[in-house]
Amino acid sequence: QVLLGESGGGSVQAGGSLRLSCVVSGYDYSNYVLAWFREAPGKEREVVASLYTGTTGTIYYAASVKGRFIISRDSAKKTLYLQMNSLRPEDTAMYYCAGSSGPIYGGRYYLADEYDYWGQGTQVTVSS
């Protein structure tokens, strides 16, 4: 059973930084995708960034966070990270860690339906 558990959310002023962590357990195979999604009140859940655990290590960033956020993974610690810099009020949302059951083809990393496992979420609030 794959389990995901996020931590690291909080409140920060615009321009500040936060690092989210997601402990990942239960994968007994390689080649799957881990991702961060976010959901703001009244908006649909959207991808923030994704990382393929296979050989290519393909990383995808949403245009809105490219250059500000960094997704990374520590395999030994079984932890996925999201370093968020230059935070903006529009980054305020519940952030979720997600995992797929295998590779995602056709560049569909941004689709929530491609992911089978989800954490409970951690709230990030950015004030102006």
Side-chain angles (χ1 to χ4, degrees):
Q1 181 182 6
V2 174
L3 296 174
L4 306 171
E6 307 94 335
S7 63
S11 297
V12 64
Q13 289 191 328
S17 298
L18 282 174
R19 188 177 79 159
L20 305 183
S21 299
C22 174
V23 177
V24 181
S25 64
Y27 279 107
D28 56 4
Y29 55 89
S30 304
N31 304 335
Y32 51 90
V33 181
L34 296 174
W36 289 98
F37 280 76
R38 66 186 181 186
E39 186 172 339
K43 296 187 177 181
E44 291 187 359
R45 190 169 296 190
E46 63 175 4
V47 71
V48 176
S50 68
L51 182 154
Y52 177 52
T53 64
T55 304
T56 64
T58 302
I59 289 177
Y60 168 89
Y61 290 103
S64 59
V65 306
K66 193 173 293 185
R68 300 188 297 125
F69 292 10
I70 300 171
I71 188 172
S72 64
R73 173 178 175 243
D74 186 326
S75 301
K77 295 182 178 180
K78 297 183 179 181
T79 301
L80 180 74
Y81 299 101
L82 183 69
Q83 177 66 43
M84 305 186 295
N85 301 318
S86 302
L87 282 161
R88 304 167 180 169
E90 54 263 40
D91 294 317
T92 295
M94 184 71 80
Y95 282 70
Y96 296 92
C97 178
S100 69
S101 57
I104 295 176
Y105 300 101
R108 296 163 62 90
Y109 309 117
Y110 59 94
L111 294 176
D113 287 347
E114 295 290 334
Y115 297 86
D116 302 285
Y117 310 107
W118 294 85
Q120 294 299 308
T122 185
Q123 177 68 37
V124 172
T125 302
V126 185
S127 59
S128 58

